[in-house]
């Protein structure tokens, strides 16, 4: 039994590493890049979301966190523009750590739905919305000075919505299509 648990853990670790690597590579393929950070990528949220639906919230959150650290390291030049130490902490949390980690909740959000296709769609959309909310808060609390006279919340809603809405819609559509083509990829595999 212990040997089987080690084998399963190794499979989960390998699968998680592959999905984090895939998410990272896809994050570098940008369909649209906003001028002050943020972009529409080639479905970079999908691997973490699929992993979460397949392996559960614990694995999803951990993989999302690892992905967030990689994204933070890749985006350190954005953090350099933040003028205060507290702003730097908020930027790291709201632009990187929280939004990418929260993608790992998709499986937990999808789980209660009896219709798995609906669960995949809702879980993906809400995970994307949670990521958007982190970016929105960051825009209000940190980047509002770029608003050019608009209220910070209006600026943040418009700016972050310009890339997060298409990113979330594309990822939700892709997750549904992938589910229809290969539902076994979403079949729950317990941790």
């Amino acid at each position: 039994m212990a040997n089987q648990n080690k084998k399963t853990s190794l499979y989960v670790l390998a699968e998680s590493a592959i999905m984090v690597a895939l998410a990272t590579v896809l994050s570098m393929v940008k369909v649209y890049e906003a001028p002050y950070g943020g972009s529409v990528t080639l479905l970079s949220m999908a691997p973490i979301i699929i992993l979460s639906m397949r392996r559960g919230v614990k694995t999803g959150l951990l993989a999302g966190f690892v992905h967030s650290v990689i994204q933070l390291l890749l985006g350190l030049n954005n953090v350099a523009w933040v003028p205060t130490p507290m702003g730097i902490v908020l930027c790291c949390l709201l632009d990187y750590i929280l939004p990418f980690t929260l993608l790992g909740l998709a499986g937990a959000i999808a789980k209660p739905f009896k219709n798995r296709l609906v669960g995949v769609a809702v879980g993906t959309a809400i995970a994307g919305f949670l990521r958007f909310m982190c970016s929105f808060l960051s825009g209000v609390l940190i980047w509002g000075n770029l608003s050019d006279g608009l209220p910070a919340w209006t600026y943040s809603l418009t700016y972050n919505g310009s890339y997060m809405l298409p990113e979330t819609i594309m990822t939700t559509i892709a997750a549904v299509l992938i589910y229809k083509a290969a539902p076994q990829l979403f079949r729950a595999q317990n941790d």
Side-chain angles (χ1 to χ4, degrees):
M1 184 68 168
N3 195 22
Q4 181 64 27
N5 286 342
K6 283 184 183 181
K7 187 176 179 182
T8 301
S9 294
L10 185 58
Y11 284 143
V12 172
L13 181 62
E15 187 177 334
S16 298
I18 289 167
M19 294 304 236
V20 168
L22 182 58
T24 301
V25 169
L26 290 173
S27 76
M28 294 177 188
V29 181
K30 297 180 178 172
V31 176
Y32 164 76
E33 191 164 7
Y36 300 115
S39 58
V40 177
T41 65
L42 187 61
L43 309 173
S44 65
M45 296 189 300
I48 304 300
I49 289 169
I50 291 170
L51 181 69
S52 173
M53 291 185 189
R54 183 174 163 80
R55 293 291 182 173
V57 70
K58 184 173 81 173
T59 299
L61 288 171
L62 185 58
F65 175 75
V66 171
H67 181 56
S68 77
V69 171
I70 293 169
Q71 291 302 305
L72 174 61
L73 293 173
L74 292 173
L76 278 177
N77 59 333
N78 294 332
V79 177
W81 290 99
V82 181
T84 65
M86 179 52 100
I88 290 171
V89 170
L90 285 174
C91 180
C92 290
L93 288 174
L94 293 174
D95 286 335
Y96 297 98
I97 303 299
L98 282 175
F100 293 105
T101 300
L102 291 175
L103 294 176
L105 291 176
I109 296 164
K111 193 172 186 176
F113 289 89
K114 290 192 187 326
N115 182 326
R116 187 72 169 146
L117 181 63
V118 172
V120 167
V122 171
T124 303
I126 291 177
F129 177 75
L130 292 172
R131 183 175 161 208
F132 163 76
M133 286 305 297
C134 291
S135 297
F136 171 75
L137 287 172
S138 173
V140 170
L141 299 172
I142 303 165
W143 305 108
N145 62 330
L146 300 173
S147 68
D148 213 19
L150 291 172
W153 70 270
T154 304
Y155 171 76
S156 183
L157 182 68
T158 305
Y159 182 85
N160 291 299
S162 74
Y163 67 90
M164 280 305 308
L165 183 60
E167 177 90 359
T168 300
I169 290 170
M170 286 172 44
T171 303
T172 302
I173 291 169
V176 166
L177 292 175
I178 292 168
Y179 177 79
K180 284 183 164 190
Q184 69 277 11
L185 292 177
F186 293 81
R187 202 159 291 133
Q189 306 287 320
N190 294 329
D191 291 323

